[in-house]
Amino acid sequence: MSHDVDALVERARAGDPRAVARLISLVEDDDERLPEVAAALAPHTGQAQVIGLTGSPGVGKSTLTNELVRALRADGHRVGVLAVDPSSPFTGGAILGDRVRMQDHATDAGVYIRSMSSRGHLGGLAVATPQAVRVLEGAGCDVVLVETVGVGQAEVDVARLADTTLVLVAPGMGDGIQAVKAGILEIADVLVVSKADRDGADATYRDLQGMLALGERAPGQWRPQVVRAAAVRGEGVDDVVAAIAKHRAWLNEHGELQPRRERRAAAEVEEIALTALRGRIGTLRDGEALPTLAAQVAAGRLDPYAAASALLAGLDAAAPEPQTPR
Ligand SMILES: Nc1nc2c(ncn2[C@@H]2O[C@H](COP(=O)(O)OP(=O)(O)OP(=O)(O)O)[C@@H](O)[C@H]2O)c(=O)[nH]1
Ligand SMILES: [Mg+2]
């Protein structure tokens, strides 16, 4: 089995797009070989620049991503794009849109574009996305763009994953106000007024600047940049690139890059551990321990805290030996 995985990782590292696609499918499906894949990739990962893009459905994320890929390629980067779909695995409208709008780079060997859903992954996208980023990095991408629709937990997950998070807001529809309500300003390193060719773009720009001026920031903290872009016309893309570079320089100057990466790794490890733990508690639920304890709690013979302690103690007793690193 590990021969398979090593061969697959080697092919991905040599730039075989089918091997990359296969590895990302293993991630999506939460394949049992995933720990082996991660072990094989580990020496080659952890350094890529990860840029997150989030915002309401249809705000212009894929169109801007397409333009950013163009700019990054012109600068000689190898670029990975993950379009993460947090909605049900049975929809897929967004995924189709991404395919259409990122077609410009379909024949460029220096670009990998991949849509991803959480499909069978128990830990959901919080676990799957960082693993997919590792695959792309293992395949030689030094920049990875992660697009996620800004719904629910998804945008927080993308911000936790990224070095730099772009939040897109389109003019009109009080989107700017909604963004603040959703607490989205807190996760944005760069705010992009998308579709800036439309009426109301300047008002949205001013609204966002005004909100940032009101927000409290400790001295020495990054002040989110606000930029306007009409990606569909290729306008303002340079400003977005410049804002990303400025944030990156700031992270470096303030020694923030490494702590951010360590926080990212901590979140990644924690999610994997929690998923494993949930899986094991699920196993207990199907076994005898939980029903027995539950009957005692229901009958008032045991309190729920004592029952939870007993359950956790049972987990420890049933714990497999820790694996020694290869
Ligand atoms: N006027 C104008 N329309 C734009 C611009 N950028 C994108 N659009 C249009 O907005 C629509 C949605 O664009 P996408 O880039 O697919 O938006 P998205 O945020 O990726 O959408 P989802 O992934 O479905 O959430 C498309 O019809 C685009 O052509 C822009 O700069 N100006
Ligand atoms: Mg999209």
Side-chain angles (χ1 to χ4, degrees):
M1 199 145 88
S2 63
H3 176 70
D4 282 6
V5 166
D6 285 343
L8 206 53
V9 168
E10 222 159 273
R11 274 171 50 209
R13 288 192 46 69
D16 176 354
R18 277 171 312 167
V20 176
R22 177 90 185 98
L23 286 173
I24 294 182
S25 297
L26 294 185
V27 170
E28 278 183 315
D29 294 340
D30 199 11
D31 190 276
E32 58 185 8
R33 287 165 290 182
L34 220 45
E36 280 181 65
V37 172
L41 287 171
H44 315 289
T45 54
Q47 299 306 313
Q49 178 182 6
V50 181
I51 301 169
L53 292 97
T54 189
S56 313
V59 74
K61 299 177 294 294
S62 298
T63 308
L64 180 61
T65 299
N66 191 52
E67 293 304 314
L68 289 176
V69 170
R70 194 190 310 285
L72 289 162
R73 287 297 290 148
D75 264 353
H77 294 285
R78 286 176 68 89
V79 187
V81 177
L82 274 179
V84 175
D85 182 3
S87 58
S88 124
F90 304 107
T91 59
I95 289 175
L96 187 63
D98 293 326
R99 278 212 200 99
V100 173
R101 272 180 270 290
M102 297 186 208
Q103 238 357 290
D104 292 6
H105 309 286
T107 56
D108 181 349
V111 182
Y112 292 99
I113 296 173
R114 175 64 187 241
S115 298
M116 198 175 77
S117 71
S118 63
R119 252 157 55 183
H121 209 297
L122 274 181
L125 291 167
V127 174
T129 310
Q131 303 316 311
V133 169
R134 283 177 183 276
V135 170
L136 291 172
E137 193 183 0
C141 298
D142 61 321
V143 183
V144 179
L145 302 171
V146 182
E147 173 190 336
T148 315
V149 180
V151 291
Q153 178 66 22
E155 67 218 5
V156 180
D157 288 343
V158 77
R160 278 212 302 190
L161 177 80
D163 298 325
T164 300
T165 301
L166 276 53
V167 175
L168 279 67
V169 178
M173 301 184 299
D175 212 359
I177 314 293
Q178 276 171 23
V180 179
K181 273 192 195 144
I184 232 176
L185 282 185
E186 276 140 56
I187 63 163
D189 299 307
V190 178
L191 280 156
V192 179
V193 178
S194 177
K195 309 190 185 182
D197 52 310
R198 288 203 178 162
D199 286 349
D202 291 340
T204 302
Y205 180 84
R206 281 194 305 273
D207 282 354
L208 290 172
Q209 289 285 17
M211 285 162 192
L212 283 174
L214 289 177
E216 294 195 5
R217 245 180 319 280
Q221 235 187 317
W222 168 254
R223 187 183 200 283
Q225 303 281 293
V226 189
V227 291
R228 279 167 281 204
V232 86
R233 302 179 178 181
E235 290 168 12
V237 178
D238 291 349
D239 296 333
V240 177
V241 170
I244 295 169
K246 192 171 172 190
H247 181 245
R248 189 164 180 79
W250 183 92
L251 288 174
N252 275 320
E253 276 161 31
H254 289 74
E256 264 292 320
L257 202 52
Q258 195 55 27
R260 259 194 195 216
R261 295 207 157 142
E262 284 173 15
R263 281 200 295 276
R264 180 201 304 178
E268 193 180 346
V269 173
E270 191 181 339
E271 288 294 343
I272 292 171
L274 281 173
T275 304
L277 199 56
R278 265 187 237 115
R280 273 159 61 195
I281 289 185
T283 312
L284 287 185
R285 186 169 39 208
D286 297 337
E288 299 231 315
L290 186 54
T292 308
L293 290 165
Q296 288 174 301
V297 171
R301 288 199 300 278
L302 191 66
D303 71 83
Y305 284 85
S309 293
L311 193 66
L312 288 173
L315 277 183
D316 288 340
E321 289 297 308
Q323 286 179 5
T324 46
R326 301 205 295 176

mmCIF file with all atom_site columns, all heavy atoms in Angstrom, residues 269-283:
data_model
loop_
_atom_site.group_PDB
_atom_site.id
_atom_site.type_symbol
_atom_site.label_atom_id
_atom_site.label_alt_id
_atom_site.label_comp_id
_atom_site.label_asym_id
_atom_site.label_entity_id
_atom_site.label_seq_id
_atom_site.pdbx_PDB_ins_code
_atom_site.Cartn_x
_atom_site.Cartn_y
_atom_site.Cartn_z
_atom_site.occupancy
_atom_site.B_iso_or_equiv
_atom_site.pdbx_formal_charge
_atom_site.auth_seq_id
_atom_site.auth_comp_id
_atom_site.auth_asym_id
_atom_site.auth_atom_id
_atom_site.pdbx_PDB_model_num
ATOM 1   N N   . VAL A 1 269 ? -3.774  20.299 13.204 1.00 0.00 ? 269 VAL A N   1
ATOM 2   C CA  . VAL A 1 269 ? -3.576  19.127 14.062 1.00 0.00 ? 269 VAL A CA  1
ATOM 3   C C   . VAL A 1 269 ? -4.802  18.920 14.954 1.00 0.00 ? 269 VAL A C   1
ATOM 4   O O   . VAL A 1 269 ? -5.301  17.803 15.115 1.00 0.00 ? 269 VAL A O   1
ATOM 5   C CB  . VAL A 1 269 ? -2.301  19.292 14.927 1.00 0.00 ? 269 VAL A CB  1
ATOM 6   C CG1 . VAL A 1 269 ? -2.193  18.163 15.939 1.00 0.00 ? 269 VAL A CG1 1
ATOM 7   C CG2 . VAL A 1 269 ? -1.058  19.347 14.042 1.00 0.00 ? 269 VAL A CG2 1
ATOM 8   N N   . GLU A 1 270 ? -5.288  20.033 15.495 1.00 0.00 ? 270 GLU A N   1
ATOM 9   C CA  . GLU A 1 270 ? -6.436  19.950 16.404 1.00 0.00 ? 270 GLU A CA  1
ATOM 10  C C   . GLU A 1 270 ? -7.663  19.379 15.690 1.00 0.00 ? 270 GLU A C   1
ATOM 11  O O   . GLU A 1 270 ? -8.363  18.518 16.229 1.00 0.00 ? 270 GLU A O   1
ATOM 12  C CB  . GLU A 1 270 ? -6.735  21.350 16.948 1.00 0.00 ? 270 GLU A CB  1
ATOM 13  C CG  . GLU A 1 270 ? -7.719  21.359 18.089 1.00 0.00 ? 270 GLU A CG  1
ATOM 14  C CD  . GLU A 1 270 ? -8.008  22.772 18.578 1.00 0.00 ? 270 GLU A CD  1
ATOM 15  O OE1 . GLU A 1 270 ? -7.197  23.689 18.341 1.00 0.00 ? 270 GLU A OE1 1
ATOM 16  O OE2 . GLU A 1 270 ? -9.075  22.952 19.186 1.00 0.00 ? 270 GLU A OE2 1
ATOM 17  N N   . GLU A 1 271 ? -7.900  19.840 14.464 1.00 0.00 ? 271 GLU A N   1
ATOM 18  C CA  . GLU A 1 271 ? -9.061  19.352 13.711 1.00 0.00 ? 271 GLU A CA  1
ATOM 19  C C   . GLU A 1 271 ? -8.943  17.855 13.425 1.00 0.00 ? 271 GLU A C   1
ATOM 20  O O   . GLU A 1 271 ? -9.923  17.116 13.517 1.00 0.00 ? 271 GLU A O   1
ATOM 21  C CB  . GLU A 1 271 ? -9.225  20.107 12.391 1.00 0.00 ? 271 GLU A CB  1
ATOM 22  C CG  . GLU A 1 271 ? -9.707  21.553 12.533 1.00 0.00 ? 271 GLU A CG  1
ATOM 23  C CD  . GLU A 1 271 ? -11.124 21.670 13.072 1.00 0.00 ? 271 GLU A CD  1
ATOM 24  O OE1 . GLU A 1 271 ? -11.874 20.671 13.045 1.00 0.00 ? 271 GLU A OE1 1
ATOM 25  O OE2 . GLU A 1 271 ? -11.484 22.772 13.549 1.00 0.00 ? 271 GLU A OE2 1
ATOM 26  N N   . ILE A 1 272 ? -7.733  17.435 13.074 1.00 0.00 ? 272 ILE A N   1
ATOM 27  C CA  . ILE A 1 272 ? -7.534  16.006 12.782 1.00 0.00 ? 272 ILE A CA  1
ATOM 28  C C   . ILE A 1 272 ? -7.765  15.183 14.050 1.00 0.00 ? 272 ILE A C   1
ATOM 29  O O   . ILE A 1 272 ? -8.452  14.158 14.040 1.00 0.00 ? 272 ILE A O   1
ATOM 30  C CB  . ILE A 1 272 ? -6.126  15.750 12.205 1.00 0.00 ? 272 ILE A CB  1
ATOM 31  C CG1 . ILE A 1 272 ? -6.006  16.381 10.819 1.00 0.00 ? 272 ILE A CG1 1
ATOM 32  C CG2 . ILE A 1 272 ? -5.843  14.244 12.128 1.00 0.00 ? 272 ILE A CG2 1
ATOM 33  C CD1 . ILE A 1 272 ? -4.602  16.376 10.251 1.00 0.00 ? 272 ILE A CD1 1
ATOM 34  N N   . ALA A 1 273 ? -7.204  15.678 15.165 1.00 0.00 ? 273 ALA A N   1
ATOM 35  C CA  . ALA A 1 273 ? -7.351  14.949 16.434 1.00 0.00 ? 273 ALA A CA  1
ATOM 36  C C   . ALA A 1 273 ? -8.818  14.904 16.862 1.00 0.00 ? 273 ALA A C   1
ATOM 37  O O   . ALA A 1 273 ? -9.321  13.856 17.294 1.00 0.00 ? 273 ALA A O   1
ATOM 38  C CB  . ALA A 1 273 ? -6.494  15.609 17.508 1.00 0.00 ? 273 ALA A CB  1
ATOM 39  N N   . LEU A 1 274 ? -9.514  16.042 16.723 1.00 0.00 ? 274 LEU A N   1
ATOM 40  C CA  . LEU A 1 274 ? -10.931 16.077 17.112 1.00 0.00 ? 274 LEU A CA  1
ATOM 41  C C   . LEU A 1 274 ? -11.765 15.136 16.257 1.00 0.00 ? 274 LEU A C   1
ATOM 42  O O   . LEU A 1 274 ? -12.673 14.474 16.748 1.00 0.00 ? 274 LEU A O   1
ATOM 43  C CB  . LEU A 1 274 ? -11.480 17.502 16.986 1.00 0.00 ? 274 LEU A CB  1
ATOM 44  C CG  . LEU A 1 274 ? -11.122 18.452 18.128 1.00 0.00 ? 274 LEU A CG  1
ATOM 45  C CD1 . LEU A 1 274 ? -11.583 19.868 17.801 1.00 0.00 ? 274 LEU A CD1 1
ATOM 46  C CD2 . LEU A 1 274 ? -11.753 17.978 19.440 1.00 0.00 ? 274 LEU A CD2 1
ATOM 47  N N   . THR A 1 275 ? -11.427 15.090 14.969 1.00 0.00 ? 275 THR A N   1
ATOM 48  C CA  . THR A 1 275 ? -12.166 14.198 14.076 1.00 0.00 ? 275 THR A CA  1
ATOM 49  C C   . THR A 1 275 ? -11.962 12.743 14.496 1.00 0.00 ? 275 THR A C   1
ATOM 50  O O   . THR A 1 275 ? -12.916 11.952 14.551 1.00 0.00 ? 275 THR A O   1
ATOM 51  C CB  . THR A 1 275 ? -11.706 14.399 12.620 1.00 0.00 ? 275 THR A CB  1
ATOM 52  O OG1 . THR A 1 275 ? -11.869 15.782 12.295 1.00 0.00 ? 275 THR A OG1 1
ATOM 53  C CG2 . THR A 1 275 ? -12.524 13.561 11.661 1.00 0.00 ? 275 THR A CG2 1
ATOM 54  N N   . ALA A 1 276 ? -10.702 12.414 14.819 1.00 0.00 ? 276 ALA A N   1
ATOM 55  C CA  . ALA A 1 276 ? -10.411 11.040 15.251 1.00 0.00 ? 276 ALA A CA  1
ATOM 56  C C   . ALA A 1 276 ? -11.157 10.727 16.551 1.00 0.00 ? 276 ALA A C   1
ATOM 57  O O   . ALA A 1 276 ? -11.731 9.646  16.725 1.00 0.00 ? 276 ALA A O   1
ATOM 58  C CB  . ALA A 1 276 ? -8.907  10.876 15.444 1.00 0.00 ? 276 ALA A CB  1
ATOM 59  N N   . LEU A 1 277 ? -11.167 11.727 17.442 1.00 0.00 ? 277 LEU A N   1
ATOM 60  C CA  . LEU A 1 277 ? -11.824 11.538 18.733 1.00 0.00 ? 277 LEU A CA  1
ATOM 61  C C   . LEU A 1 277 ? -13.336 11.346 18.550 1.00 0.00 ? 277 LEU A C   1
ATOM 62  O O   . LEU A 1 277 ? -13.943 10.452 19.141 1.00 0.00 ? 277 LEU A O   1
ATOM 63  C CB  . LEU A 1 277 ? -11.547 12.777 19.599 1.00 0.00 ? 277 LEU A CB  1
ATOM 64  C CG  . LEU A 1 277 ? -11.727 12.660 21.097 1.00 0.00 ? 277 LEU A CG  1
ATOM 65  C CD1 . LEU A 1 277 ? -10.872 11.528 21.644 1.00 0.00 ? 277 LEU A CD1 1
ATOM 66  C CD2 . LEU A 1 277 ? -11.336 13.976 21.767 1.00 0.00 ? 277 LEU A CD2 1
ATOM 67  N N   . ARG A 1 278 ? -13.916 12.200 17.683 1.00 0.00 ? 278 ARG A N   1
ATOM 68  C CA  . ARG A 1 278 ? -15.350 12.064 17.407 1.00 0.00 ? 278 ARG A CA  1
ATOM 69  C C   . ARG A 1 278 ? -15.652 10.696 16.831 1.00 0.00 ? 278 ARG A C   1
ATOM 70  O O   . ARG A 1 278 ? -16.648 10.068 17.176 1.00 0.00 ? 278 ARG A O   1
ATOM 71  C CB  . ARG A 1 278 ? -15.805 13.143 16.426 1.00 0.00 ? 278 ARG A CB  1
ATOM 72  C CG  . ARG A 1 278 ? -16.366 14.351 17.129 1.00 0.00 ? 278 ARG A CG  1
ATOM 73  C CD  . ARG A 1 278 ? -16.952 15.324 16.114 1.00 0.00 ? 278 ARG A CD  1
ATOM 74  N NE  . ARG A 1 278 ? -16.305 16.622 16.247 1.00 0.00 ? 278 ARG A NE  1
ATOM 75  C CZ  . ARG A 1 278 ? -15.542 17.199 15.335 1.00 0.00 ? 278 ARG A CZ  1
ATOM 76  N NH1 . ARG A 1 278 ? -15.339 16.606 14.167 1.00 0.00 ? 278 ARG A NH1 1
ATOM 77  N NH2 . ARG A 1 278 ? -15.004 18.354 15.556 1.00 0.00 ? 278 ARG A NH2 1
ATOM 78  N N   . GLY A 1 279 ? -14.763 10.237 15.974 1.00 0.00 ? 279 GLY A N   1
ATOM 79  C CA  . GLY A 1 279 ? -14.944 8.913  15.375 1.00 0.00 ? 279 GLY A CA  1
ATOM 80  C C   . GLY A 1 279 ? -14.949 7.832  16.441 1.00 0.00 ? 279 GLY A C   1
ATOM 81  O O   . GLY A 1 279 ? -15.779 6.918  16.421 1.00 0.00 ? 279 GLY A O   1
ATOM 82  N N   . ARG A 1 280 ? -14.034 7.977  17.406 1.00 0.00 ? 280 ARG A N   1
ATOM 83  C CA  . ARG A 1 280 ? -13.945 6.953  18.445 1.00 0.00 ? 280 ARG A CA  1
ATOM 84  C C   . ARG A 1 280 ? -15.121 7.024  19.400 1.00 0.00 ? 280 ARG A C   1
ATOM 85  O O   . ARG A 1 280 ? -15.628 6.001  19.866 1.00 0.00 ? 280 ARG A O   1
ATOM 86  C CB  . ARG A 1 280 ? -12.618 7.075  19.184 1.00 0.00 ? 280 ARG A CB  1
ATOM 87  C CG  . ARG A 1 280 ? -11.547 6.278  18.448 1.00 0.00 ? 280 ARG A CG  1
ATOM 88  C CD  . ARG A 1 280 ? -10.172 6.710  18.779 1.00 0.00 ? 280 ARG A CD  1
ATOM 89  N NE  . ARG A 1 280 ? -9.864  6.543  20.183 1.00 0.00 ? 280 ARG A NE  1
ATOM 90  C CZ  . ARG A 1 280 ? -8.819  7.115  20.790 1.00 0.00 ? 280 ARG A CZ  1
ATOM 91  N NH1 . ARG A 1 280 ? -8.024  7.892  20.103 1.00 0.00 ? 280 ARG A NH1 1
ATOM 92  N NH2 . ARG A 1 280 ? -8.594  6.904  22.052 1.00 0.00 ? 280 ARG A NH2 1
ATOM 93  N N   . ILE A 1 281 ? -15.570 8.245  19.691 1.00 0.00 ? 281 ILE A N   1
ATOM 94  C CA  . ILE A 1 281 ? -16.764 8.363  20.538 1.00 0.00 ? 281 ILE A CA  1
ATOM 95  C C   . ILE A 1 281 ? -17.959 7.755  19.807 1.00 0.00 ? 281 ILE A C   1
ATOM 96  O O   . ILE A 1 281 ? -18.805 7.096  20.403 1.00 0.00 ? 281 ILE A O   1
ATOM 97  C CB  . ILE A 1 281 ? -17.018 9.835  20.935 1.00 0.00 ? 281 ILE A CB  1
ATOM 98  C CG1 . ILE A 1 281 ? -15.932 10.256 21.931 1.00 0.00 ? 281 ILE A CG1 1
ATOM 99  C CG2 . ILE A 1 281 ? -18.414 10.025 21.541 1.00 0.00 ? 281 ILE A CG2 1
ATOM 100 C CD1 . ILE A 1 281 ? -16.070 11.607 22.526 1.00 0.00 ? 281 ILE A CD1 1
ATOM 101 N N   . GLY A 1 282 ? -18.007 7.971  18.503 1.00 0.00 ? 282 GLY A N   1
ATOM 102 C CA  . GLY A 1 282 ? -19.071 7.364  17.697 1.00 0.00 ? 282 GLY A CA  1
ATOM 103 C C   . GLY A 1 282 ? -19.043 5.849  17.803 1.00 0.00 ? 282 GLY A C   1
ATOM 104 O O   . GLY A 1 282 ? -20.085 5.205  17.914 1.00 0.00 ? 282 GLY A O   1
ATOM 105 N N   . THR A 1 283 ? -17.835 5.297  17.802 1.00 0.00 ? 283 THR A N   1
ATOM 106 C CA  . THR A 1 283 ? -17.693 3.841  17.935 1.00 0.00 ? 283 THR A CA  1
ATOM 107 C C   . THR A 1 283 ? -18.232 3.389  19.286 1.00 0.00 ? 283 THR A C   1
ATOM 108 O O   . THR A 1 283 ? -18.916 2.367  19.391 1.00 0.00 ? 283 THR A O   1
ATOM 109 C CB  . THR A 1 283 ? -16.207 3.437  17.818 1.00 0.00 ? 283 THR A CB  1
ATOM 110 O OG1 . THR A 1 283 ? -15.671 4.078  16.680 1.00 0.00 ? 283 THR A OG1 1
ATOM 111 C CG2 . THR A 1 283 ? -16.043 1.940  17.687 1.00 0.00 ? 283 THR A CG2 1
#
